[in-house]
Protein backbone atom coordinates (compact mmCIF):
# COMPACT_ATOMS: atom_id res chain seq x y z
CA UNK A 1 0.00 0.00 0.00
CA UNK A 2 1.40 3.39 -0.97
CA UNK A 3 0.63 6.78 0.52
CA UNK A 4 -1.44 9.25 -1.45
CA UNK A 5 0.44 12.41 -2.39
CA UNK A 6 -1.04 15.71 -1.15
CA UNK A 7 -2.59 18.09 -3.63
CA UNK A 8 0.29 20.48 -3.00
CA UNK A 9 3.60 19.83 -1.33
CA UNK A 10 3.50 20.57 2.41
CA UNK A 11 6.04 22.70 4.19
CA UNK A 12 8.77 20.37 5.38
CA UNK A 13 11.31 20.70 8.16
CA UNK A 14 11.91 23.54 10.56
CA UNK A 15 13.75 26.74 9.65
CA UNK A 16 17.41 26.97 10.56
CA UNK A 17 17.53 29.25 13.60
CA UNK A 18 21.13 28.56 14.61
CA UNK A 19 22.31 32.06 13.63
CA UNK A 20 19.17 34.00 14.51
CA UNK A 21 19.82 36.58 17.26
CA UNK A 22 17.34 36.84 20.13
CA UNK A 23 14.71 39.57 20.14
CA UNK A 24 15.21 42.23 22.82
CA UNK A 25 12.33 44.61 22.07
CA UNK A 26 8.88 43.52 20.98
CA UNK A 27 5.77 45.62 20.44
CA UNK A 28 2.25 44.34 21.01
CA UNK A 29 -0.44 46.45 19.39
CA UNK A 30 -3.83 46.02 21.01
CA UNK A 31 -4.33 44.88 24.59
CA UNK A 32 -7.49 42.93 25.39
CA UNK A 33 -7.50 39.21 26.10
CA UNK A 34 -4.94 38.17 23.49
CA UNK A 35 -2.70 41.22 23.53
CA UNK A 36 -2.34 41.26 27.31
CA UNK A 37 -1.60 37.54 27.37
CA UNK A 38 1.05 37.86 24.65
CA UNK A 39 2.61 40.84 26.42
CA UNK A 40 2.78 38.89 29.69
CA UNK A 41 4.47 35.91 27.99
CA UNK A 42 7.08 38.13 26.35
CA UNK A 43 7.80 40.08 29.53
CA UNK A 44 8.16 36.90 31.59
CA UNK A 45 10.69 35.71 29.00
CA UNK A 46 12.80 38.80 29.70
CA UNK A 47 11.90 40.96 26.70
CA UNK A 48 11.14 44.65 26.76
CA UNK A 49 7.48 44.92 25.71
CA UNK A 50 6.05 48.11 24.22
CA UNK A 51 2.27 47.85 24.32
CA UNK A 52 0.14 50.19 22.22
CA UNK A 53 -3.52 50.49 23.18
CA UNK A 54 -5.66 53.55 22.35
CA UNK A 55 -7.82 53.25 25.48
CA UNK A 56 -6.37 54.31 28.81
CA UNK A 57 -9.18 52.42 30.54
CA UNK A 58 -8.23 49.19 28.75
CA UNK A 59 -4.57 49.70 29.67
CA UNK A 60 -5.49 50.13 33.33
CA UNK A 61 -7.83 47.12 33.27
CA UNK A 62 -5.44 44.76 31.53
CA UNK A 63 -2.36 45.78 33.49
CA UNK A 64 -4.39 45.02 36.63
CA UNK A 65 -5.33 41.67 35.09
CA UNK A 66 -1.69 40.79 34.37
CA UNK A 67 -0.78 41.79 37.92
CA UNK A 68 -3.47 39.48 39.32
CA UNK A 69 -2.22 36.57 37.23
CA UNK A 70 1.35 37.10 38.38
CA UNK A 71 0.26 37.47 42.01
CA UNK A 72 -1.58 34.15 41.78
CA UNK A 73 1.57 32.52 40.42
CA UNK A 74 3.58 33.92 43.34
CA UNK A 75 0.96 32.72 45.84
CA UNK A 76 1.13 29.21 44.36
CA UNK A 77 4.91 29.15 44.49
CA UNK A 78 5.25 29.08 40.71
CA UNK A 79 6.91 32.49 40.45
CA UNK A 80 9.35 34.40 42.63
CA UNK A 81 8.33 37.84 43.86
CA UNK A 82 11.40 39.37 42.21
CA UNK A 83 10.45 37.81 38.85
CA UNK A 84 6.90 39.09 39.25
CA UNK A 85 8.17 42.61 39.83
CA UNK A 86 10.65 42.43 36.94
CA UNK A 87 7.95 41.20 34.56
CA UNK A 88 5.71 44.16 35.32
CA UNK A 89 8.55 46.66 34.83
CA UNK A 90 9.24 45.22 31.36
CA UNK A 91 5.70 46.01 30.13
CA UNK A 92 5.52 49.62 28.98
CA UNK A 93 2.05 50.61 27.71
CA UNK A 94 1.18 53.72 25.73
CA UNK A 95 -1.70 55.13 23.70
CA UNK A 96 0.75 56.45 21.07
CA UNK A 97 1.52 54.17 18.10
CA UNK A 98 5.02 55.63 17.76
CA UNK A 99 5.80 53.74 20.98
CA UNK A 100 6.11 50.63 18.78
CA UNK A 101 8.37 52.01 16.09
CA UNK A 102 11.76 50.97 17.54
CA UNK A 103 10.74 47.34 18.18
CA UNK A 104 12.52 44.52 16.38
CA UNK A 105 9.29 42.55 16.08
CA UNK A 106 5.70 43.75 16.31
CA UNK A 107 2.69 41.58 17.01
CA UNK A 108 -0.65 43.03 15.95
CA UNK A 109 -3.55 41.91 18.14
CA UNK A 110 -6.28 44.39 17.23
CA UNK A 111 -9.91 43.41 16.38
CA UNK A 112 -10.49 41.06 13.44
CA UNK A 113 -11.35 43.73 10.88
CA UNK A 114 -9.35 43.70 7.68
CA UNK A 115 -9.65 47.46 7.12
CA UNK A 116 -8.18 48.21 10.55
CA UNK A 117 -5.32 45.78 10.06
CA UNK A 118 -4.48 47.12 6.59
CA UNK A 119 -4.35 50.70 7.88
CA UNK A 120 -2.15 49.68 10.79
CA UNK A 121 0.31 47.70 8.66
CA UNK A 122 0.62 50.58 6.19
CA UNK A 123 1.57 52.89 9.05
CA UNK A 124 4.01 50.39 10.55
CA UNK A 125 5.58 49.87 7.14
CA UNK A 126 6.20 53.60 6.78
CA UNK A 127 7.60 54.08 10.28
CA UNK A 128 9.54 51.01 11.37
CA UNK A 129 13.05 49.93 10.44
CA UNK A 130 13.40 47.96 7.21
CA UNK A 131 14.53 44.80 9.00
CA UNK A 132 11.71 44.73 11.60
CA UNK A 133 9.36 41.76 11.43
CA UNK A 134 5.65 42.59 11.25
CA UNK A 135 3.40 39.81 12.56
CA UNK A 136 -0.36 39.51 12.79
CA UNK A 137 -2.21 37.41 15.35
CA UNK A 138 -5.22 37.04 13.06
CA UNK A 139 -7.07 33.73 13.34
CA UNK A 140 -9.28 34.09 10.26
CA UNK A 141 -7.98 36.73 7.83
CA UNK A 142 -5.43 36.34 5.04
CA UNK A 143 -1.88 37.10 6.16
CA UNK A 144 -0.92 37.45 2.49
CA UNK A 145 -3.53 40.17 1.98
CA UNK A 146 -2.39 42.02 5.10
CA UNK A 147 1.24 41.77 3.96
CA UNK A 148 0.34 43.19 0.55
CA UNK A 149 -0.57 46.51 2.21
CA UNK A 150 3.15 47.02 2.91
CA UNK A 151 6.23 47.59 0.77
CA UNK A 152 7.91 44.66 2.59
CA UNK A 153 5.61 41.64 2.31
CA UNK A 154 8.70 39.45 2.70
CA UNK A 155 9.00 40.71 6.30
CA UNK A 156 5.39 39.94 7.25
CA UNK A 157 4.13 36.69 8.78
CA UNK A 158 1.43 35.36 11.04
CA UNK A 159 1.95 34.50 14.70
CA UNK A 160 -1.32 32.92 15.79
CA UNK A 161 -1.47 32.51 19.56
CA UNK A 162 -4.06 30.62 21.55
CA UNK A 163 -6.14 31.74 24.52
CA UNK A 164 -5.02 31.94 27.28
CA UNK A 165 -1.61 32.80 25.84
CA UNK A 166 0.30 32.42 29.15
CA UNK A 167 -1.00 28.86 29.50
CA UNK A 168 -1.31 27.29 26.05
CA UNK A 169 2.06 26.35 24.53
CA UNK A 170 1.25 26.49 20.81
CA UNK A 171 1.90 29.33 18.36
CA UNK A 172 1.20 28.84 14.65
CA UNK A 173 3.89 30.54 12.55
CA UNK A 174 2.14 31.37 9.29
CA UNK A 175 4.18 31.70 6.11
CA UNK A 176 2.38 34.03 3.72
CA UNK A 177 2.98 33.94 -0.03
CA UNK A 178 5.96 36.30 0.10
CA UNK A 179 7.35 35.67 3.59
CA UNK A 180 11.06 35.02 3.15
CA UNK A 181 13.25 32.45 4.88
CA UNK A 182 14.91 34.99 7.17
CA UNK A 183 11.56 36.28 8.45
CA UNK A 184 10.24 32.77 9.00
CA UNK A 185 13.38 31.82 10.95
CA UNK A 186 13.23 35.04 13.00
CA UNK A 187 9.58 34.44 13.94
CA UNK A 188 10.16 30.75 14.68
CA UNK A 189 13.16 31.49 16.91
CA UNK A 190 11.21 34.23 18.72
CA UNK A 191 8.43 31.78 19.60
CA UNK A 192 11.01 29.40 21.02
CA UNK A 193 12.69 32.27 22.86
CA UNK A 194 9.50 33.08 24.79
CA UNK A 195 9.02 29.44 25.77
CA UNK A 196 6.29 28.44 23.31
CA UNK A 197 6.11 25.65 20.74
CA UNK A 198 6.08 26.88 17.12
CA UNK A 199 4.53 24.99 14.21
CA UNK A 200 4.85 26.25 10.64
CA UNK A 201 1.95 26.34 8.22
CA UNK A 202 0.92 27.99 4.98
CA UNK A 203 -1.43 30.95 4.82
CA UNK A 204 -4.65 29.00 4.44
CA UNK A 205 -8.07 29.79 5.97
CA UNK A 206 -8.08 28.71 9.61
CA UNK A 207 -4.43 27.63 9.50
CA UNK A 208 -4.10 24.24 11.28
CA UNK A 209 -6.00 24.27 14.55
CA UNK A 210 -9.07 26.28 13.56
CA UNK A 211 -9.37 24.42 10.26
CA UNK A 212 -9.72 21.22 12.31
CA UNK A 213 -11.49 22.57 15.40
CA UNK A 214 -14.21 24.92 14.13
CA UNK A 215 -16.19 22.29 12.16
CA UNK A 216 -16.05 20.02 15.22
CA UNK A 217 -17.37 22.76 17.51
CA UNK A 218 -20.20 23.62 15.11
CA UNK A 219 -21.13 19.95 14.81
CA UNK A 220 -21.19 19.52 18.59
CA UNK A 221 -23.30 22.67 19.03
CA UNK A 222 -25.71 21.26 16.43
CA UNK A 223 -26.00 17.99 18.33
CA UNK A 224 -26.65 19.89 21.57
CA UNK A 225 -29.31 21.96 19.81
CA UNK A 226 -31.01 18.75 18.66
CA UNK A 227 -31.29 17.63 22.29
CA UNK A 228 -28.76 14.80 22.07
CA UNK A 229 -27.63 15.41 25.65
CA UNK A 230 -27.01 18.18 28.14
CA UNK A 231 -24.02 20.46 27.69
CA UNK A 232 -22.38 18.94 30.75
CA UNK A 233 -22.85 15.36 29.54
CA UNK A 234 -21.54 16.18 26.07
CA UNK A 235 -18.48 17.82 27.59
CA UNK A 236 -17.96 14.97 30.05
CA UNK A 237 -18.17 12.46 27.20
CA UNK A 238 -15.48 14.28 25.24
CA UNK A 239 -13.23 14.76 28.25
CA UNK A 240 -13.50 11.21 29.55
CA UNK A 241 -14.00 9.35 26.27
CA UNK A 242 -11.74 11.35 23.97
CA UNK A 243 -9.30 12.64 26.60
CA UNK A 244 -10.02 16.28 25.76
CA UNK A 245 -8.69 18.57 28.52
CA UNK A 246 -11.83 20.72 28.21
CA UNK A 247 -15.24 19.90 26.74
CA UNK A 248 -16.13 21.45 23.35
CA UNK A 249 -19.06 23.48 24.69
CA UNK A 250 -17.02 24.78 27.62
CA UNK A 251 -14.35 25.64 25.05
CA UNK A 252 -16.89 27.64 23.04
CA UNK A 253 -17.70 29.58 26.20
CA UNK A 254 -14.01 30.20 26.85
CA UNK A 255 -13.28 31.36 23.31
CA UNK A 256 -16.50 33.37 23.06
CA UNK A 257 -19.49 32.50 20.89
CA UNK A 258 -19.04 35.71 18.91
CA UNK A 259 -15.42 34.85 18.16
CA UNK A 260 -16.34 31.29 17.16
CA UNK A 261 -19.09 32.55 14.83
CA UNK A 262 -16.81 35.16 13.25
CA UNK A 263 -14.01 32.66 12.66
CA UNK A 264 -16.40 30.04 11.26
CA UNK A 265 -18.02 32.57 8.92
CA UNK A 266 -14.62 33.71 7.67
CA UNK A 267 -13.57 30.12 7.11
CA UNK A 268 -16.79 29.36 5.24
CA UNK A 269 -16.45 32.53 3.16
CA UNK A 270 -12.95 31.45 2.12
CA UNK A 271 -13.65 27.79 1.42
CA UNK A 272 -17.39 27.65 0.58
CA UNK A 273 -17.42 24.24 2.24
CA UNK A 274 -20.70 23.72 4.18
CA UNK A 275 -18.92 21.98 7.05
CA UNK A 276 -17.23 25.28 7.94
CA UNK A 277 -20.46 27.28 8.38
CA UNK A 278 -21.30 28.04 12.03
CA UNK A 279 -24.15 26.05 13.60
CA UNK A 280 -27.43 28.05 13.65
CA UNK A 281 -27.62 27.71 17.43
CA UNK A 282 -24.17 29.26 17.74
CA UNK A 283 -25.29 32.24 15.67
CA UNK A 284 -28.51 32.62 17.68
CA UNK A 285 -26.65 32.62 20.97
CA UNK A 286 -24.11 35.18 19.75
CA UNK A 287 -26.90 37.50 18.57
CA UNK A 288 -28.62 37.13 21.94
CA UNK A 289 -25.47 38.20 23.76
CA UNK A 290 -24.86 34.73 25.22
CA UNK A 291 -21.16 34.85 24.48
CA UNK A 292 -19.84 32.56 27.20
CA UNK A 293 -17.52 33.51 30.03
CA UNK A 294 -17.10 37.14 29.05
CA UNK A 295 -20.87 37.80 29.14
CA UNK A 296 -21.59 35.48 32.09
CA UNK A 297 -23.79 33.13 30.09
CA UNK A 298 -23.29 30.71 27.22
CA UNK A 299 -23.72 26.97 27.40
CA UNK A 300 -23.04 27.45 31.10
CA UNK A 301 -23.73 30.25 33.58
CA UNK A 302 -20.70 32.00 35.12
Amino acid sequence: MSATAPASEPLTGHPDVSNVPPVARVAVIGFGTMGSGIAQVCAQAGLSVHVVEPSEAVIERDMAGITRQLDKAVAKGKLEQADRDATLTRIDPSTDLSHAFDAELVIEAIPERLDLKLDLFRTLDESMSADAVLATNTSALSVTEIAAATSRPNRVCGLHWFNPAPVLPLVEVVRAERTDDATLARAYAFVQQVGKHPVVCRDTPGFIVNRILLPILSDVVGLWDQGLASAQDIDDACRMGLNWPIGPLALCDLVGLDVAVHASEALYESTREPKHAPAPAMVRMAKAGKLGRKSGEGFYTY
Side-chain angles (χ1 to χ4, degrees), residues 41-213:
V41 169
C42 294
Q44 284 190 262
L47 282 70
S48 175
V49 186
H50 296 180
V51 174
V52 177
E53 166 54 53
S55 169
E56 290 277 10
V58 171
I59 290 175
E60 183 177 351
R61 179 198 70 192
D62 289 349
M63 285 301 298
I66 292 173
T67 302
R68 285 194 300 272
Q69 292 299 319
L70 296 175
D71 286 343
K72 288 179 182 178
V74 171
K76 293 178 180 179
K78 296 180 178 180
L79 186 69
E80 296 294 329
Q81 182 70 34
D83 292 332
R84 174 263 192 204
D85 296 342
T87 296
L88 289 173
T89 62
R90 295 187 190 110
I91 303 175
D92 184 15
S94 172
T95 58
D96 188 347
L97 185 58
S98 65
H99 192 55
F101 292 164
D102 69 342
E104 300 160 69
L105 183 148
V106 61
I107 302 169
E108 167 270 309
I110 66 176
E112 287 282 74
R113 279 181 48 189
L114 183 60
D115 59 331
L116 296 179
K117 293 181 190 290
L118 294 179
D119 285 346
L120 173 61
F121 273 74
R122 290 188 190 103
T123 302
L124 293 173
D125 180 42
E126 294 169 356
S127 305
M128 298 189 69
S129 67
D131 60 350
V133 172
L134 310 182
T136 174
N137 180 54
T138 184
S139 61
L141 300 176
S142 168
V143 180
T144 298
E145 188 171 358
I146 294 170
T150 75
S151 64
R152 58 172 109 186
N154 60 307
R155 301 295 290 172
V156 180
C157 67
L159 285 176
H160 182 218
W161 301 65
F162 292 83
N163 182 35
V167 176
L168 295 184
L170 181 67
V171 178
E172 293 174 325
V173 182
V174 183
R175 183 166 202 164
E177 287 298 319
R178 296 181 63 182
T179 305
D180 62 24
D181 291 344
T183 299
L184 186 71
R186 182 75 155 157
Y188 192 95
F190 161 75
V191 173
Q192 292 181 318
Q193 180 184 346
V194 299
K196 298 298 181 179
H197 183 92
V199 295
V200 179
C201 64
R202 296 188 187 280
D203 182 23
T204 185
F207 312 134
I208 300 172
V209 172
N210 281 345
R211 190 67 173 262
I212 296 169
L213 177 63

Side-chain angles (χ1 to χ4, degrees), residues 198-285:
V199 295
V200 179
C201 64
R202 296 188 187 280
D203 182 23
T204 185
F207 312 134
I208 300 172
V209 172
N210 281 345
R211 190 67 173 262
I212 296 169
L213 177 63
L214 289 171
I216 295 174
L217 295 182
S218 286
D219 195 30
V220 172
V221 171
L223 292 175
W224 168 83
D225 194 33
Q226 294 169 20
L228 171 72
S230 69
Q232 187 66 68
D233 282 346
I234 290 173
D235 280 353
D236 286 350
C238 291
R239 288 191 305 104
M240 299 177 189
L242 301 177
N243 202 29
W244 285 34
I246 183 174
L249 299 179
L251 179 59
C252 284
D253 280 356
L254 177 63
V255 170
L257 272 295
D258 55 336
V259 174
V261 168
H262 175 79
S264 295
E265 288 177 339
L267 191 53
Y268 174 70
E269 182 68 24
S270 299
T271 65
R272 291 299 179 181
E273 296 180 25
K275 68 178 181 179
H276 293 307
M282 188 183 289
V283 176
R284 290 198 309 270
M285 291 175 69

